[in-house]
Amino acid sequence: MGRLSVGMKLYASIMTIFVLFAVAFIIFQQSREKQFKIDTLDTKLQAYNDRMEENLRLHGRYDSTTLRQYVATHGMKGLRVTITDTRGNVLFDNKLPKGQKAGNHINRPEVRQALAHGKGSSVDRKSKTMNHDYFYSATFYPDRNVIIRSALPYDDDLAESLSADQHYIWFALGIMLVLTIVLWRFTSRLSRNINNLRAFATKADHNESLDTEDLVAFPADELGEIAERIIKIYKRLESTRKEQDVLKRQLTQNIAHELKTPVASIQGYLETILGNPGMSDETRQLFMQRCFAQSQRLTALLHDISTLNRMDDAPEMNDFSDVDITQTMTTIVAETSLQMAEKGMTMDNRLPDNVKVMGNHSLIYSIFRNLTDNAIAYAGTNTTISVSAWLEEDKWHFRFSDNGVGVPREHLHRLFERFYRVDKGRSRKMGGTGLGLAIVKNAVLIHGGTISVENAPEGGLVFDFTLRK
């Protein structure tokens, strides 16, 4: 026999609790209703005792004939009335034949209660005198030092009138039936969802196809919706993982391709130098300079790859502090002044004073340095680079632009891709690694910002991005 499902366990647990509650409720309700009817009957007999005592007091007669006449004219079917003194001696009993004496009643429960509390009652007690079951209700009247006790025979009629009404039992059973059906439907749906999720987990664990019939349809409720979303999220993550695998393979191929060029160049120059001992000093110096240039390019490429990997794998490991972007941009302008001068370029730095953000100094520097290097490399000669900023709520909005040649529109959406080049041959000749703008985008995202690029109407590129204040 298989294990019970979670749904069946839930169903059995709830039904057990409800049945126990229903049974306890029925027992309590029966006891409560029976006690209520007993109290009602006791109150009725107590009222009879009070009326009898008041009537006899008004007439001033307590003889047997007067008492029997009162009981006969004011009595109920089968009513027994007994009057005793405070010692329990029977002064009157309408059910006793004339001349017959009743035993002392001082030890009868209802009499003892009446003497102690003024009133007393006893249910379903067999009379020693009449040899019959009665319901007794006694009242003590201290002014007269007598106890009037009225009683009704505990026969089938009285037992039926005191029994609890059974309608609420059928009502409780009806509610239980409805609850059983509703709970069964709910737990059945829950079981189907869990079974489907179990099948999904098994297939996912064994890398099996998830496009099967048992994973298509779920019950149209909240649980079914949650289950469907879990599967959709997993499929989306699987799709994302596959895309990432493809991208990683492409990235590995791109890295290998990018590394191959400078390594091959260095190797070729060194082989030429080693294979020609009689090479002139000038030629050897030229080849060594070219080896050094390729090694610098290789170093820059490895540095950029390391930066991207660090941002991808552990962005939370970057230390954040106050970064003065105004000062950072001033430093970058000074560092690139010779390169800009060689190409007749100028820098229009419109940053306000003390533009500060909470960020990582190295990554913030990379953003503005890579944008500057990109403009110097591709904007063209005799152009102007402009940078400005303004505060929007809790973010600084930056605009970095140039008035150069721009980029064909079909290439704009791919500029932030790793190793993407608009003109691959020209880009390599100019020494770029193909990772600068990818570093810019990732660094902006790490600082809670967004970035976009467009061609300016008058020419050149415009980078709009934000950084948290």
Side-chain angles (χ1 to χ4, degrees):
M1 185 176 179
R3 294 185 305 170
L4 287 176
S5 65
V6 173
M8 288 303 300
K9 289 180 180 178
L10 178 63
Y11 174 77
S13 300
I14 294 178
M15 286 307 304
T16 300
I17 294 173
F18 183 76
V19 168
L20 292 175
F21 171 78
V23 170
F25 171 76
I26 290 173
I27 293 174
F28 169 76
Q29 186 67 16
Q30 279 188 316
S31 175
R32 182 173 176 271
E33 187 172 354
K34 184 175 182 180
Q35 187 60 47
F36 172 75
K37 292 185 175 182
I38 289 174
D39 291 343
T40 301
L41 179 58
D42 183 49
T43 300
K44 181 179 180 181
L45 293 178
Q46 290 285 338
Y48 179 86
N49 296 343
D50 290 340
R51 289 196 303 272
M52 183 177 181
E53 193 277 334
E54 183 179 2
N55 185 275
L56 294 176
R57 181 162 44 82
L58 290 174
H59 288 79
R61 297 192 300 272
Y62 285 88
D63 57 280
S64 177
T65 302
T66 302
L67 292 172
R68 288 180 184 275
Q69 183 179 2
Y70 180 84
V71 174
T73 56
H74 297 84
M76 294 171 272
K77 181 182 177 181
L79 180 68
R80 179 187 176 189
V81 178
T82 305
I83 300 177
T84 69
D85 59 19
T86 55
R87 296 180 180 179
N89 298 314
V90 177
L91 305 178
F92 170 77
D93 192 320
N94 69 316
K95 291 296 183 180
L96 285 178
K98 290 184 179 181
Q100 182 178 345
K101 290 187 177 182
N104 192 284
H105 282 37
I106 192 64
N107 290 322
R108 306 294 167 85
E110 65 278 4
V111 174
R112 296 182 68 85
Q113 290 176 25
L115 287 171
H117 307 292
K119 296 179 181 180
S121 63
S122 179
V123 182
D124 193 15
R125 182 175 63 78
K126 194 169 187 177
S127 169
K128 295 180 181 179
T129 303
M130 304 301 298
N131 196 28
H132 189 78
D133 292 337
Y134 279 93
F135 177 90
Y136 301 97
S137 181
T139 309
F140 175 48
Y141 298 97
D143 293 344
R144 302 281 181 178
N145 285 324
V146 295
I147 299 169
I148 299 179
R149 186 189 71 176
S150 55
L152 289 173
Y154 205 91
D155 52 17
D156 293 339
D157 292 339
L158 182 61
E160 184 177 354
S161 67
L162 292 180
S163 64
D165 190 355
Q166 303 299 313
H167 289 90
Y168 70 89
I169 297 179
W170 294 110
F171 174 76
L173 292 176
I175 292 296
M176 185 183 298
L177 178 61
V178 172
L179 178 65
T180 300
I181 295 172
V182 173
L183 185 60
W184 175 257
R185 286 174 59 85
F186 170 76
T187 53
S188 296
R189 289 184 176 184
L190 177 63
S191 294
R192 287 199 299 273
N193 285 335
I194 292 175
N195 289 335
N196 286 343
L197 285 174
R198 183 187 293 119
F200 154 74
T202 302
K203 291 179 182 297
D205 186 47
H206 292 85
N207 292 322
E208 298 178 12
S209 174
L210 301 178
D211 298 324
T212 55
E213 291 295 329
D214 54 349
L215 299 180
V216 173
F218 283 85
D221 54 20
E222 291 83 356
L223 294 174
E225 182 181 352
I226 292 172
E228 286 181 347
R229 289 192 177 185
I230 289 175
I231 293 179
K232 287 180 180 178
I233 290 172
Y234 178 83
K235 288 183 176 180
R236 193 157 54 242
L237 290 175
E238 276 290 289
S239 176
T240 302
R241 185 181 64 81
K242 291 178 181 179
E243 291 175 359
Q244 287 178 342
D245 289 341
V246 172
L247 290 175
K248 284 182 179 179
R249 285 195 296 271
Q250 292 176 347
L251 181 60
T252 302
Q253 293 171 357
N254 288 335
I255 291 174
H257 182 71
E258 293 294 332
L259 291 175
K260 182 172 65 176
T261 301
V263 170
S265 296
I266 293 173
Q267 185 177 359
Y269 289 132
L270 291 177
E271 287 178 351
T272 302
I273 293 172
L274 293 174
N276 295 275
M279 180 183 296
S280 66
D281 291 341
E282 292 182 1
T283 303
R284 184 180 291 106
Q285 181 67 21
L286 176 63
F287 282 8
M288 292 298 293
Q289 288 176 349
R290 290 178 179 177
C291 283
F292 180 71
Q294 291 298 325
S295 69
Q296 284 184 313
R297 180 184 171 193
L298 187 60
T299 301
L301 182 60
L302 293 174
H303 177 268
D304 287 350
I305 292 173
S306 175
T307 301
L308 281 172
N309 286 338
R310 187 172 67 254
M311 287 192 287
D312 288 341
D313 297 337
E316 70 282 354
M317 297 299 290
N318 294 302
D319 295 328
F320 279 54
S321 59
D322 284 336
V323 180
D324 189 334
I325 294 181
T326 304
Q327 181 59 45
T328 300
M329 195 63 209
T330 301
T331 302
I332 292 173
V333 171
E335 292 173 348
T336 58
S337 59
L338 291 177
Q339 294 171 273
M340 288 191 290
E342 289 175 359
K343 302 185 72 173
M345 302 178 71
T346 57
M347 172 67 74
D348 183 12
N349 185 359
R350 304 177 192 172
L351 290 179
D353 294 334
N354 297 320
V355 177
K356 292 184 178 181
V357 299
M358 179 61 66
N360 179 270
H361 184 274
S362 177
L363 294 181
I364 294 294
Y365 175 86
S366 295
I367 293 173
F368 290 91
R369 180 58 190 261
N370 279 303
L371 288 175
T372 303
D373 289 344
N374 187 75
I376 292 172
Y378 305 113
T381 59
N382 301 316
T383 54
T384 300
I385 302 172
S386 300
V387 57
S388 59
W390 60 94
L391 189 61
E392 291 183 349
E393 296 180 355
D394 61 338
K395 291 184 177 181
W396 278 101
H397 190 117
F398 296 91
R399 175 162 292 170
F400 197 103
S401 62
D402 63 73
N403 59 351
V405 296
V407 171
R409 178 168 293 277
E410 64 269 20
H411 295 285
L412 284 175
H413 69 286
R414 301 191 63 184
L415 285 184
F416 296 111
E417 292 182 14
R418 299 176 186 189
F419 296 113
Y420 184 77
R421 290 182 170 91
V422 177
D423 185 343
K424 295 183 179 180
R426 179 169 173 265
S427 298
R428 285 197 179 92
K429 289 179 181 178
M430 302 183 75
T433 64
L435 296 174
L437 293 183
I439 291 174
V440 169
K441 181 177 180 180
N442 281 26
V444 168
L445 294 178
I446 286 176
H447 288 82
T450 58
I451 187 168
S452 62
V453 59
E454 291 290 342
N455 281 316
E458 63 277 8
L461 284 178
V462 177
F463 291 89
D464 281 306
F465 60 97
T466 59
L467 298 173
R468 277 201 303 261
K469 185 177 177 182

